[in-house]
Amino acid sequence: MNLVTTQVTVMDLIVIAPALVLTGCALVILLLSAFVPTGRRGFLGYCAVAGVVAAMASLLWGNDGAQSGFNGMVQRDPFALFFTVIIGIITLLTILASLGYARREGIDFGEYYVLILFASVGMMLMAAGGNFLIIFLGLEVMSIAIYVLAGIMRDDARSVEAAFKYFLLGAFASAFFLYGIALIYASTGTFDLTGINRVFTEQSSIRILPIVITGLALLIVGFGFKIALVPFHMWTPDVYEGAPTTITAFMATGVKAAAFAAFVRVFWHALPQLQPYWVEIMWVLAVATMTVGNIIALVQTNIKRMLAYSSIAHAGYILVAFVAGNQLGAASILFYLLAYCFMNIGAFTVVILLGKKGEERTLISDYAGVGSRHPLLAAAMAIFMFSLAGVPPTAGFMAKLYVFSTAIQAGYYWLAVIGVLNSAVAAYYYLRVLIYVYFREQEGESPITQFAPAAVLVVVISAWGVLHLGVLPSAFFAMAQRSIQFLR
Amino acid sequence: MVEQVFYWIAFIMTSMTALFAAVMVITRSNPISAAMFLVLNFVSVAILYLLLRFPFIAVIQVMIYAGAIMMLVVFVIMLLNVEEEERRKKIAVSLAQVISVVLVLMLCAQLVVGVGIQKIPGKHGAFTAEQLAEVGDVKAVAQMLFTTYLFPFEIASIILLVGIIGAVILSKKER
């Protein structure tokens, strides 16, 4: 046997450019934080911001067509680019929101930003992975970084509990995911998503083997955990409540976007022939996720827990489009995730701004009187809550409209009806926050709150994003549609 | 024929040992003896790999699991000074536990049917037994690892780095 050599080409580097830039930036910050004295580390957060901007700029390197690197391991198709940009936006907004928050809570050391950047690298690899190995490794890079970030406030028992709970259950879910990959590999002989598709196309007898169906089920469990689908959602409220609020925002948007990207790519690109098997499972999961998420959210008194259950419910809405399974459905998943990232990060940043050191003020009753004290912030909160509830003219409304019209177009009338009923229920708990904000008088003296300018910027950007996507959605929807065409 | 019989005897004995050791791990109340049974489990799995003619994976299994990871486990048990767990007098079984056991059994049955009974079609890799005998297991693995799977190999280094950073940040005294 001859010695095989491999050469890394420029194309390979172009394909992984954003992940490469972020990794480099993370390593630089790690070194800087070792040599810069403790008092002067405030600029490390800005280095991370610069790194994310550079990573986004690196996307301009190379042309628009679909390319792949490392023998198809990593894809640079419009689908991957779309998600890379979403993940970049999420990372940028998270870091900006962290600048003031991290100092307030005493976690503003370099490693905090390094871990956020590494988690972002993992997410980008998940979104771009054309091979099960890359998707799994990306998932692990992301997850391990987030386990640590969730528990980074070591003195806070809830933060430690969140990290521990997320770690144990996450490791378990990874095992399920890996077992699913192993079974699919055993039946097709390849990790490559295109290759798996080819095997299923050429040998239709393989599709009905129990081993394939079992592997499919295990994959759904693995993805379902990361996306927080019912019944794999038990960890969500505790982890979202205990983790630092910036990390909660990062988890609710970034992890979900990356996991959905890999979910869509695996199921629609590699396993479309198995659709008759998975579409019914997804139908049940979508209904359960929407309903359970919304009903439990109704009784929450803590806004972080409320947003945790709301994020479960939103995963259910996205799954509705997943079930519908047509072109339009895929594009509406992408659009929904983009809209969701703006409204959710915005809402969490308002929560961050209204808290202070050692006292997060996350009870919904703490929001009494915010309307008169901080009218602009209250207006922003109103925009985010209306968007989460799906009231026009916000992004949340357009996203829901696309999702439900997709379901009707594909003939899933019941699913659309259940979804619309669910959003009606959801309106109650989102608007309840606004009732406290505007119509309840605050008791006791008003807490003095200093607003971090970077976090205010995040609120402004998010509010702009929510309104822009709500008023002029067609350009973004067309972009989402273009991105999905390459997947089929 | 005789070879086949011996092979099956060896296979069944080793897998029974592995199962026995695994059951002992989760039923021992003394953490050290549980750890020792875990070693037994790892070693018998290594022998299973040998029986399947994967000497490289067998060696890795012994080195990493039976060697490094078990060192760590025993070390942590010593450091934390884990007491012998008190035996619970009464075992209360809740409905959730019953349901989960039933579900797990169903999953196991599915796996047995799916993997054990059905013939797995699978496509065979580029390496035939003769080729492997010629170049050796390690060389074949290395060649795949550093050519086709170069990029995943590099990502694994990031995972390790993130793990190290995480361990330091969560356990460091001053920061």
Side-chain angles (χ1 to χ4, degrees), chain B residues 70-108:
Chain B
M70 278 322 297
M71 275 291 283
L72 213 69
V73 169
V74 175
F75 209 59
V76 168
I77 291 173
M78 277 163 58
L79 275 182
L80 295 181
N81 200 12
V82 182
E83 300 279 315
E84 197 162 314
E85 187 199 6
E86 275 183 38
R87 207 171 276 278
R88 266 183 288 171
K89 296 247 161 54
K90 207 171 156 193
I91 301 170
V93 180
S94 70
L95 182 67
Q97 281 167 324
V98 174
I99 294 174
S100 60
V101 167
V102 170
L103 286 178
V104 167
L105 287 179
M106 275 166 66
L107 182 65
C108 288

Side-chain angles (χ1 to χ4, degrees), chain B residues 129-168:
Chain B
E130 293 81 49
Q131 271 179 322
L132 278 185
E134 194 186 320
V135 298
D137 218 10
V138 183
K139 200 170 170 186
V141 169
Q143 202 149 72
M144 292 305 273
L145 198 59
F146 295 114
T147 56
T148 319
Y149 295 103
L150 178 70
F151 187 56
F153 180 71
E154 299 288 344
I155 303 175
S157 66
I158 297 186
I159 295 187
L160 287 178
L161 181 64
V162 173
I164 294 169
I165 297 172
V168 170

Side-chain angles (χ1 to χ4, degrees), chain A residues 9 32 80 89 113 120 125 129 138 164 184 233 252 271 294 303 348 362 427 441 486:
Chain A
T9 59
L32 281 177
I89 293 172
Y113 299 107
S120 179
L125 290 174
F164 197 62
I184 299 283
H233 68 292
L271 311 169
N294 278 322
I303 195 155
F348 275 114
T362 49
E441 284 308 312
F486 286 82

Side-chain angles (χ1 to χ4, degrees), chain A residues 259-487:
Chain A
F260 256 113
F263 201 19
V264 169
R265 199 191 275 276
V266 167
F267 277 74
W268 291 21
H269 183 62
L271 311 169
Q273 286 90 357
L274 302 179
Q275 197 182 17
Y277 302 107
W278 54 255
V279 83
E280 283 168 24
I281 304 176
M282 298 296 179
W283 196 97
V284 175
L285 287 180
V287 171
T289 308
M290 286 188 292
T291 314
V292 171
N294 278 322
I295 287 178
I296 305 184
L298 287 177
V299 294
Q300 298 304 317
T301 50
N302 181 313
I303 195 155
K304 275 167 94 176
R305 282 185 91 84
M306 188 274 270
L307 285 171
Y309 281 109
S310 120
S311 89
I312 295 174
H314 280 281
Y317 299 135
I318 301 174
L319 213 55
V320 169
F322 199 103
V323 171
N326 45 20
Q327 275 300 337
L328 199 62
S332 56
I333 293 178
L334 269 58
F335 185 84
Y336 204 109
L337 283 168
L338 185 64
Y340 178 72
C341 108
F342 281 120
M343 56 201 188
N344 219 20
I345 289 191
F348 275 114
T349 313
V350 174
V351 174
I352 290 169
L353 280 173
L354 288 173
K356 58 181 184 183
K357 179 163 175 50
E359 195 188 347
E360 290 236 275
R361 299 182 64 79
T362 49
L363 290 181
I364 293 179
S365 54
D366 288 334
Y367 285 75
V370 172
S372 53
R373 269 182 289 135
H374 311 293
L376 286 175
L377 197 63
M381 190 64 166
I383 292 174
F384 300 135
M385 286 297 139
F386 278 134
S387 181
L388 284 166
V391 176
T394 56
F397 169 74
M398 289 316 296
K400 280 209 179 84
L401 183 70
Y402 285 133
V403 164
F404 294 142
S405 55
T406 309
I408 287 174
Q409 213 173 53
Y412 291 99
Y413 300 113
W414 276 111
L415 203 53
V417 169
I418 295 169
V420 171
L421 286 178
N422 259 297
S423 4
V425 172
Y428 168 76
Y429 62 83
Y430 292 124
L431 298 184
R432 195 161 64 110
V433 175
L434 293 183
I435 287 178
Y436 272 96
V437 167
Y438 281 111
F439 301 116
R440 291 284 165 87
E441 284 308 312
Q442 173 210 1
E443 291 162 15
E445 60 184 296
S446 73
I448 305 147
T449 339
Q450 286 173 317
F451 291 162
V456 173
L457 182 66
V458 173
V459 172
V460 171
I461 295 174
S462 306
W464 169 80
V466 166
L467 291 177
H468 191 110
L469 285 174
V471 177
L472 302 166
S474 51
F476 292 95
F477 194 73
M479 211 192 302
Q481 265 179 318
R482 263 202 312 281
S483 306
I484 206 73
Q485 273 163 6
F486 286 82
L487 218 55

Side-chain angles (χ1 to χ4, degrees), chain A residues 1 3-4 6 16 27 70 73-74 109 111 118 125 133-134 137 140-141 144-145 148 151-152 154 179 183 186-187 189 209-211 214, chain B residues 110-111 114-115 118 120-123 127 134-135 143 146-152 155 158-159 161-162 165-166 169-173 175:
Chain A
M1 193 174 63
L3 200 66
V4 188
T6 190
I16 58 163
L27 293 177
F70 297 100
M73 292 251 173
V74 194
F109 31 83
E111 288 87 347
F118 274 133
L125 290 174
L133 273 181
I134 301 291
L137 288 169
E140 284 301 292
V141 172
I144 293 175
V148 179
I152 207 158
R154 288 185 309 183
Y179 207 165
L183 293 184
S187 50
L209 287 181
I211 182 172
T214 316
Chain B
Q110 214 171 0
L111 287 174
V115 184
Q118 294 275 339
I120 300 171
K123 117 188 150 186
F127 293 92
E134 194 186 320
V135 298
Q143 202 149 72
F146 295 114
T147 56
T148 319
Y149 295 103
L150 178 70
F151 187 56
I155 303 175
I158 297 186
I159 295 187
L161 181 64
V162 173
I165 297 172
I169 205 81
L170 290 180
S171 59
K172 201 165 71 171
K173 267 207 184 105
R175 46 186 189 186

Side-chain angles (χ1 to χ4, degrees), chain A residues 181-202:
Chain A
I181 294 177
L183 293 184
I184 299 283
Y185 178 74
S187 50
T188 60
T190 174
F191 285 125
D192 189 58
L193 298 186
T194 316
I196 291 171
N197 188 2
R198 198 180 310 125
V199 172
F200 281 131
T201 313
E202 286 166 4

